[in-house]
Amino acid sequence: MTDLVAVWEVALSDGVHKIEFEHGTTSGKRVVYVDGKEVIRKDWMFKLVGKETFTVGAAQTKGTINIDAVSGFAYEYTLEINGKSLKKYMENRSKTTNTWLLNLDGVDCRVVLEKDTMDVWFNGKNMETAGEFVEDGTETHFSIGDHDCCIKAVSSGKRREGIIHTLIVDDKEIPEAVE
């Protein structure tokens, strides 16, 4: 019998990670899985509430599952990423990253730009890039197989919008994905 009580999907730069949590409310058992791999197992815990902390992804991002009693024998499970609720973390992340989903040579691909560091991730790998200043902004060049890729950064001309990042693969603009 499985005691699976919660499943979350978390989009990080190196990919989308699945976090699963088992909580045995009679035995106090707690098991955390990240991408199907068991990362924490505690059997026979007397305290049924509390938290479990672990890491997710290549950057070893901190994840915490909070276990709170709601009423009687009902429990609420919340996931925090880097100390923020999952919702708040994802809202903040949408401001600090750009994500593009595309299909290259029949393979689904995910490109992520971390705006604060200008790091580019492709299907979970941090890419080697070459940046250059151009007339209307900057270009960050990298290759995926035989494909020439470039992320252009140009000013929107509007203070509230800031800089607009565009992914171009083989001279074609790729629309940004909403995660």
Side-chain angles (χ1 to χ4, degrees):
M1 183 182 122
T2 177
D3 294 314
L4 188 67
V5 293
V7 178
W8 297 274
E9 292 210 336
V10 181
L12 299 177
S13 294
D14 67 335
V16 179
H17 299 279
K18 186 176 182 180
I19 298 170
E20 298 169 287
F21 183 57
E22 289 182 12
H23 188 215
T25 52
T26 49
S27 65
K29 174 183 84 168
R30 298 179 190 177
V31 186
V32 177
Y33 299 93
V34 176
D35 298 326
K37 186 171 159 259
E38 187 178 296
V39 293
I40 293 175
R41 174 178 287 272
K42 294 180 179 167
D43 293 306
W44 298 107
M45 293 190 59
F46 293 105
K47 194 170 180 209
L48 294 175
V49 295
K51 52 178 61 180
E52 293 299 334
T53 301
F54 52 94
T55 59
V56 184
Q60 298 287 296
T61 304
K62 182 179 150 196
T64 303
I65 296 173
N66 296 302
I67 308 152
D68 298 299
V70 183
S71 64
F73 289 103
Y75 297 90
E76 180 180 76
Y77 308 97
T78 53
L79 177 66
E80 291 179 358
I81 301 293
N82 277 347
K84 294 184 181 83
S85 73
L86 181 59
K87 183 178 190 288
K88 210 83 204 114
Y89 176 80
M90 295 315 284
E91 284 169 4
N92 186 48
R93 191 169 159 71
S94 70
K95 294 175 192 152
T96 60
T97 62
N98 288 76
T99 303
W100 296 272
L101 301 173
L102 62 151
N103 190 299
L104 282 179
D105 304 324
V107 176
D108 287 333
C109 304
R110 184 172 180 267
V111 176
V112 178
L113 168 69
E114 292 181 357
K115 296 181 204 174
D116 53 350
T117 60
M118 292 305 285
D119 280 350
V120 175
W121 292 77
F122 169 73
N123 284 359
K125 291 186 183 65
N126 196 332
M127 300 298 287
E128 197 165 305
T129 61
E132 67 174 319
F133 290 99
V134 293
E135 190 178 317
D136 53 353
T138 64
E139 292 183 356
T140 303
H141 297 271
F142 58 101
S143 295
I144 299 172
D146 298 332
H147 300 280
D148 291 326
C149 306
C150 171
I151 296 175
K152 284 183 177 265
V154 294
S155 173
S156 64
K158 299 182 187 99
R159 215 169 133 238
R160 308 249 327 119
E161 286 178 35
I163 296 171
I164 296 169
H165 295 88
T166 308
L167 174 65
I168 297 162
V169 177
D170 297 332
D171 299 321
K172 286 191 219 56
E173 190 174 315
I174 307 297
E176 190 176 346
V178 180
E179 286 191 311

